[in-house]
């Protein structure tokens, strides 16, 4: 019986997340209400509130699932490519491939319709990933590590937007090569030459 309830709860959460993404594409995050979401998902308000405290809680929980998916993808890419934790951009391949698979969701979250909450959550996830990959010390410690992390995250988001808006036909691997080339060349005085 508990397994059936778990499956039902998982289906409900999935329906609510899908409704949120659909509505964000259509109306934008800021314009949404909980009622819009439950209507789209065809779920009662009380059921919604049994799972989430509000639309921001629903949005944030989706990012936790994204965080877990990306960690798995990052590990798989690292294992397949034989890369080490010393690669300061080890996250990028997994992220671009994930973004390609869920392009509509990413367009919604990082575009104007995603709102500040979505963009902030994406930045937090990316910052965590970059910090895990970034060497503990940068050559000479000439720049604060956090500044370098934010530079990489900003460059990644800019690349993602450019890709979706201007060159959606490019493969994730092609975008990844361009991103890595530009960022690593810019970071060359700070990171070991073996990363280039």
């Amino acid at each position: 019986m508990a397994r059936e309830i778990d499956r039902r709860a998982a289906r409900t959460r999935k329906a609510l997340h899908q409704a949120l993404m659909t509505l964000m594409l259509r109306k934008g995050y800021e314009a949404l209400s909980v009622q819009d979401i439950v209507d789209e998902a065809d779920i009662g308000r009380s059921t919604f509130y049994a799972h989430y405290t509000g639309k921001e809680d629903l949005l944030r929980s989706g990012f936790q699932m994204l965080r877990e998916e990306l960690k798995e993808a990052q590990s798989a890419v690292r294992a397949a490519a034989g890369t080490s934790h010393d690669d300061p951009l080890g996250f990028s391949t997994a992220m671009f491939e994930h973004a390609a698979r869920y392009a509509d969701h990413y367009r919604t979250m990082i575009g104007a319709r995603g709102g500040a909450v979505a963009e902030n959550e994406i930045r937090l996830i990316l910052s965590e990933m970059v910090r895990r990959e970034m060497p503990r010390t940068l050559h000479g410690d000439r720049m604060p590590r956090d500044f370098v992390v934010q530079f990489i995250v900003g460059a990644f988001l800019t690349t993602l937007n450019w890709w979706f808006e201007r060159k959606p036909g490019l493969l994730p691997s092609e975008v990844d090569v361009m991103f890595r080339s530009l960022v690593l060349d810019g970071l060359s005085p700070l990171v070991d030459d073996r990363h280039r």
Side-chain angles (χ1 to χ4, degrees):
M1 182 70 167
R3 194 174 292 156
E4 183 178 322
I5 292 170
D6 289 345
R7 280 196 298 255
R8 193 175 332 139
R11 279 194 305 270
T12 299
R13 288 186 193 108
K14 184 176 180 179
L16 288 167
H17 281 285
Q18 188 57 50
L20 176 65
M21 288 295 132
T22 299
L23 289 167
M24 282 173 66
L25 272 172
R26 196 179 311 147
K27 298 173 71 169
Y29 176 77
E30 302 301 333
L32 294 181
S33 68
V34 168
Q35 190 61 52
D36 293 330
I37 297 166
V38 297
D39 288 347
E40 181 74 22
D42 196 22
I43 290 171
R45 275 180 85 85
S46 61
T47 301
F48 176 92
Y49 286 112
H51 295 276
Y52 303 104
T53 59
K55 71 176 188 176
E56 189 171 314
D57 187 31
L58 171 62
L59 182 65
R60 287 185 195 281
S61 73
F63 283 107
Q64 186 54 40
M65 292 186 296
L66 173 63
R67 185 178 274 112
E68 295 306 316
E69 279 185 48
L70 289 172
K71 281 182 188 175
E72 289 175 20
Q74 188 178 27
S75 296
V77 167
R78 188 183 299 119
T83 58
S84 71
H85 281 280
D86 292 336
D87 182 352
L89 302 179
F91 76 98
S92 67
T93 302
M95 280 294 297
F96 283 120
E97 288 175 355
H98 193 273
R101 278 193 305 279
Y102 299 101
D104 285 344
H105 290 103
Y106 274 89
R107 279 187 192 101
T108 300
M109 290 184 294
I110 63 174
R113 295 189 170 277
V117 174
E119 184 174 334
N120 189 50
E121 289 296 318
I122 288 282
R123 284 185 178 279
L124 288 173
I125 291 169
L126 288 171
S127 295
E128 289 170 19
M129 296 181 82
V130 173
R131 277 189 197 93
R132 275 198 305 271
E133 302 294 342
M134 184 63 59
R136 281 271 170 232
T137 58
L138 301 172
H139 284 270
D141 283 334
R142 286 177 279 184
M143 286 192 204
R145 189 169 187 264
D146 191 56
F147 171 74
V148 175
V149 168
Q150 293 310 309
F151 171 81
I152 293 170
V153 168
F156 182 86
L157 289 172
T158 298
T159 303
L160 204 56
N161 275 324
W162 172 83
W163 178 27
F164 287 152
E165 291 175 10
R166 304 275 175 92
K167 297 288 185 179
L170 289 176
L171 296 172
S173 58
E174 294 172 313
V175 178
D176 188 45
V177 166
M178 290 188 291
F179 168 75
R180 292 174 68 85
S181 174
L182 284 173
V183 172
L184 285 175
D185 284 347
L187 294 176
S188 61
L190 301 175
V191 297
D192 198 317
D193 287 337
R194 66 187 171 190
H195 299 308
R196 297 189 61 189

